[in-house]
Amino acid sequence: MLRDMASGAKEDSGETGGADAAPGGGTAAGDGTAGPAGAGTASTGKARRAPAGAAVLREDVTEAIRAAVFAELAAVGYGRMSIEGVARRAGVGKTAVYRRWRSKLHLVLDLVSEIALQGLPAPDTGSLETDLHLLYEVASRALRHPAASQIVPDLFAEAARNTDLQEALEKALREAQRSVAQGVLDAAAARGEIRAALDRDLALDLITGPLYWRVLVVRTRTKRGYPAALAKAVATGLRSA
């Protein structure tokens, strides 16, 4: 998971000020690849030799930026989020952000895709109902997180006005999250718990829809036994379909 480093690590030298070039005309050092601050020009006036190859991006700086993105999305939403705001919260220069992502859209989509792919387990307990129960327990905890409860609805609202964001969200969330549900259905079909010819699109909607509706759309707090009750109801419906 992303480390809480939004106000932590700082980029070395010139990038901490957000400039593309270091004072005096030298190249910004960023990511620790160009030496200490102020080393852009030698005292003799000769230009400092550029390092060979591409700059190595520091992982701690990347993690700080990622954490800052989630904090900014939760605080101001996608529409008001800016690269400058992310850089300021991460304690780096905006050049450090642009080295890694070329725009706000690409930055957000990359992080959403990453979280979607690693966020849910692929349960295989030997029972459709217990597989669903585990899936709902993990998903409901993730969706109840204060940041997620603010960020996810905001991104979907913004997607209604932004075609690129809408397409990318569908790809990142629907494919990644539904692939887990698809695995649950495949295992249940192999055990004979559901029909092999069951309409998979309908089954996937039935698995993923209710929890997202309750937690993110109507924002009703789930009771303690809700994941188990939902798993039982959905499993019963799938078995009889």
Side-chain angles (χ1 to χ4, degrees):
M1 295 297 294
L2 300 177
R3 295 191 296 274
D4 186 12
M5 298 174 61
S7 59
K10 290 182 179 292
E11 203 83 329
D12 288 346
S13 66
E15 281 196 354
T16 57
D20 293 342
T27 303
D31 289 327
T33 59
T41 306
S43 59
T44 58
K46 294 181 180 180
R48 179 175 52 78
R49 189 174 185 178
V56 178
L57 301 180
R58 285 172 43 186
E59 183 60 26
D60 63 331
V61 173
T62 302
E63 288 293 319
I65 295 170
R66 286 171 171 159
V69 170
F70 287 110
E72 280 289 289
L73 284 173
V76 303
Y78 179 85
R80 294 175 58 196
M81 191 187 91
S82 66
I83 294 296
E84 290 79 4
V86 169
R88 184 167 54 251
R89 188 181 288 269
V92 302
K94 64 181 180 180
T95 305
V97 182
Y98 282 119
R99 278 203 180 106
R100 293 160 173 82
W101 298 277
R102 66 177 183 264
S103 70
K104 177 175 79 170
L105 177 64
H106 289 91
L107 169 56
V108 170
L109 295 182
D110 181 45
L111 299 189
V112 168
S113 299
E114 178 183 335
I115 296 302
L117 288 170
Q118 70 182 20
L120 291 177
D124 187 9
T125 64
S127 162
L128 174 60
E129 184 175 329
T130 53
D131 280 354
L132 291 173
H133 186 190
L134 177 60
L135 186 64
Y136 291 145
E137 285 283 3
V138 175
S140 61
R141 282 198 299 269
L143 293 172
R144 285 197 307 267
H145 188 281
S149 66
Q150 292 175 293
I151 291 170
V152 177
D154 174 74
L155 286 178
F156 277 105
E158 185 66 30
R161 301 182 290 270
N162 187 320
T163 302
D164 290 335
L165 182 60
Q166 179 182 18
E167 292 176 353
L169 278 176
E170 288 179 359
K171 180 177 178 61
L173 296 176
R174 180 175 296 178
E175 292 184 6
Q177 307 256 347
R178 286 167 68 99
S179 68
V180 176
Q182 182 70 58
V184 170
L185 290 174
D186 289 342
R191 291 190 298 264
E193 290 189 78
I194 61 173
R195 294 186 302 110
L198 181 67
D199 185 328
R200 290 302 178 89
D201 285 336
L202 180 61
L204 290 170
D205 288 343
L206 183 59
I207 290 174
T208 59
L211 185 63
Y212 280 81
W213 169 263
R214 187 180 183 95
V215 177
L216 296 178
V217 180
V218 298
R219 299 195 176 212
T220 302
R221 187 172 183 83
T222 58
K223 297 180 180 179
R224 185 177 182 85
Y226 181 76
L230 180 60
K232 182 176 182 179
V234 172
T236 300
L238 292 173
R239 292 190 189 106
S240 62

